[in-house]
Amino acid sequence: MKGIILAGGSGTRLKPLTGVVSKQILPVYNKPMIYYPLSVLMLAGIREILVISSPSHLEMFRDLLGDGSRLGLSIDYAEQKEPNGIGEAFVIGADHIGADQVALILGDNVFHGHGFSELLRTTAAGLDGCALFGYPVKDPWRYGVAELDAGRRLTALTEKPSEPRSNIAVTGLYMYDNDVVGMAQDLVPSERGELEITDINRAYLEQGRAQLAELGRGFVWLDMGTHDSLLEAGQYVQILEKRQGVRIGCVEEIAYRMGYIGAEECHRLGIEQAGTEYGAYLVNLAEGTAASHPAAAATTALPRMA
């Protein structure tokens, strides 16, 4: 399975913060925002990743992430010249996807919860069409909403309904088989001039090939599109890291625990950030002295493969 991070848009709701920098470069406590969606793809076992952003912002991501080899990944980049909708990511990324399945995640989403990596890999392994991830919210009219039957099977998708029939929001994480490339290329722009991801999801649903993985109690999904939500996300990460001594969205740790890099590489990445708490954590991790207590292991929920 290939991965795509859509980190485009102009970040108008976050101005003046986004006047000269991409939203997905902004700090969420102690890490750039894009580390969080990148970490999700890594937890799913995905190592070939395409970052899509506006032409003026791509160099920022190249400077930050490079070609991904330091994390045992392969990262490429592509332009989205105008914000033409989420569905355009599959048109832009067609060559990157090739004949494979693909997971798409929006660059301003944070996911966290015990067992999340296992859920991601299980969902990817059983993928037959389209897999969406749903999360209960108190304001479903702000989102795409999923309706489920008594057996918790997906029956309908509605984009920002004025009278929602469910409180299950469709999050910014999606998995598809290879048919999504052709579907995206056949999309007709909506009234707002965008290639809508919801139209793709409905097409899969009509074919009986769409499923919903529910992120219920114990999971956290945060969409950092406003000043308040950006602050709230940073506070959430800060509280958990300070109390439990673990890191959320620490891509170096995930690369190490997933076996993408070894202890020596992890140690070197920590030394490169010497003088910071973040760097010290990586050094301790590589030396076997970090995240050793039960609470840490439960929170990270990562396989110890290195």
Side-chain angles (χ1 to χ4, degrees):
M1 179 177 281
K2 302 290 181 57
I4 295 178
I5 302 175
L6 184 58
S10 55
T12 53
R13 290 184 298 166
L14 283 171
K15 287 187 175 180
L17 294 177
T18 51
V20 295
V21 68
S22 169
K23 172 173 68 174
Q24 289 83 10
I25 297 290
L26 293 175
V28 178
Y29 184 45
N30 56 2
K31 293 172 286 294
M33 186 185 295
I34 198 171
Y35 272 32
Y36 297 90
L38 176 60
S39 71
V40 171
L41 297 182
M42 294 171 68
L43 287 172
I46 297 170
R47 301 177 70 173
E48 296 178 66
I49 296 166
L50 179 70
V51 175
I52 299 176
S53 189
S54 62
S56 61
H57 292 155
L58 272 182
E59 282 306 311
M60 299 180 188
F61 295 108
R62 285 196 180 97
D63 289 343
L64 178 66
L65 302 173
D67 64 1
S69 59
R70 294 166 74 251
L71 298 172
L73 308 176
S74 174
I75 300 179
D76 291 317
Y77 302 88
E79 295 182 356
Q80 185 182 41
K81 292 182 171 57
E82 300 291 340
N84 294 322
I86 298 173
E88 191 182 33
F90 305 109
V91 178
I92 297 171
D95 289 341
H96 168 74
I97 298 168
D100 293 320
Q101 299 175 333
V102 60
L104 168 69
I105 187 169
L106 303 185
D108 61 356
N109 278 217
V110 170
F111 294 85
H112 181 252
H114 177 59
F116 187 40
S117 57
E118 180 180 353
L119 174 64
L120 290 169
R121 292 193 295 274
T122 300
T123 303
L127 184 65
D128 180 19
C130 162
L132 310 176
F133 293 80
Y135 187 81
V137 296
K138 65 179 182 181
D139 50 354
W141 56 87
R142 295 181 52 225
Y143 306 95
V145 172
E147 296 179 34
L148 308 173
D149 63 15
R152 309 305 290 176
R153 291 182 294 268
L154 183 64
T155 60
L157 294 165
T158 309
E159 187 66 25
K160 297 181 180 179
S162 56
E163 296 182 7
R165 299 178 61 180
S166 162
N167 72 330
I168 305 297
V170 177
T171 69
L173 173 62
Y174 318 84
M175 292 182 178
Y176 300 96
D177 66 13
N178 196 256
D179 291 345
V180 73
V181 176
M183 288 182 177
Q185 291 170 340
D186 292 338
L187 280 179
V188 176
S190 64
E191 292 182 356
R192 58 179 185 167
E194 296 189 3
L195 301 183
E196 304 288 356
I197 193 74
T198 301
D199 290 342
I200 293 176
N201 297 336
R202 284 183 183 141
Y204 275 104
L205 184 59
E206 290 170 2
Q207 296 173 8
R209 297 197 299 137
Q211 62 172 305
L212 186 82
E214 295 186 73
L215 306 176
R217 180 171 295 185
F219 279 92
V220 170
W221 168 55
L222 301 169
D223 174 1
M224 297 168 287
T226 66
H227 295 102
D228 284 344
S229 59
L230 178 63
L231 178 62
E232 289 165 2
Q235 291 174 330
Y236 172 80
V237 173
Q238 179 195 37
I239 290 171
L240 224 60
E241 291 194 358
K242 289 292 186 182
R243 291 200 173 229
Q244 296 194 344
V246 297
R247 295 293 181 270
I248 300 173
C250 179
V251 293
E252 298 91 346
E253 177 180 15
I254 294 171
Y256 173 57
R257 293 196 186 277
M258 295 288 285
Y260 300 164
I261 62 174
E264 183 178 345
E265 290 88 348
C266 183
H267 189 276
R268 183 170 59 249
L269 292 174
I271 293 299
E272 288 177 3
Q273 303 175 75
T276 69
E277 186 178 352
Y278 192 92
Y281 179 82
L282 295 178
V283 169
N284 292 337
L285 177 69
E287 295 175 350
T289 56
S292 58
H293 55 80
T299 303
T300 53
L302 294 170
R304 296 180 181 271
M305 301 175 63

